[in-house]
Amino acid sequence: MKAAGLVETLQGKGPFTVFAPTNAAFQKLPAGTVETLLKPENKATLTKVLTYHVVAGRLSSVDLKKQIQSGNGTATLKTVSGGTLWAMMHGNDIALKDEKGGMAMVTQANVFQSNGVIHVVDTVVMPQ
């Protein structure tokens, strides 16, 4: 977040819903991906990837499940980066599908913050 200059943004008023990948999620990326994204010349790409994990508004797991149900099994979420994520149920868990067809599972939901909510995910979602 620091490398992309997003700390101040996400500490702002919000509200935000953040799908936060674990360290293990970043380790699943192809070798060298994180190092490449952290290079100063790739700041725009890093920012796009990170803001792809953020949705405006405070969406709890109950809110997400309601949107999934009302969307006949899929909720379409517009990200801060301008991309799209699709939320769906996978058993009792919420899953996210990214623009490249990758899937992430919410492993810990509803980490409420003063300016929104964090849902921990097991995979880094990637924009087109």
Side-chain angles (χ1 to χ4, degrees):
M1 293 293 181
K2 286 181 185 174
L6 295 176
V7 173
E8 296 79 18
T9 299
L10 293 178
Q11 287 177 341
K13 195 172 185 176
F16 302 107
T17 299
V18 178
F19 296 100
T22 62
N23 288 339
F26 282 100
Q27 291 171 358
K28 287 182 182 180
L29 292 171
T33 301
V34 173
E35 293 79 6
T36 299
L37 286 171
L38 291 175
K39 291 180 180 177
E41 62 267 25
N42 294 326
K43 182 178 178 181
T45 302
L46 176 63
T47 300
K48 182 177 179 180
V49 169
L50 294 177
T51 56
Y52 187 66
H53 289 78
V54 182
V55 175
R58 181 189 206 109
L59 299 172
S60 70
S61 62
V62 171
D63 297 328
L64 287 167
K65 288 175 182 177
K66 284 180 184 174
Q67 286 189 19
I68 291 166
Q69 187 175 23
S70 67
N72 294 316
T74 305
T76 302
L77 307 173
K78 286 294 174 195
T79 69
V80 171
S81 72
T84 304
L85 285 171
W86 295 269
M88 58 208 67
M89 297 305 300
H90 188 267
N92 292 325
D93 298 320
I94 297 170
L96 296 176
K97 182 177 178 183
D98 66 25
E99 292 174 341
K100 293 188 174 189
M103 297 294 291
M105 299 298 299
V106 173
T107 58
Q108 182 181 357
N110 300 329
V111 182
F112 292 103
Q113 306 295 309
S114 61
N115 66 346
V117 61
I118 297 169
H119 302 291
V120 178
V121 293
D122 66 353
T123 304
V124 176
V125 290
M126 298 298 278
Q128 277 293 4

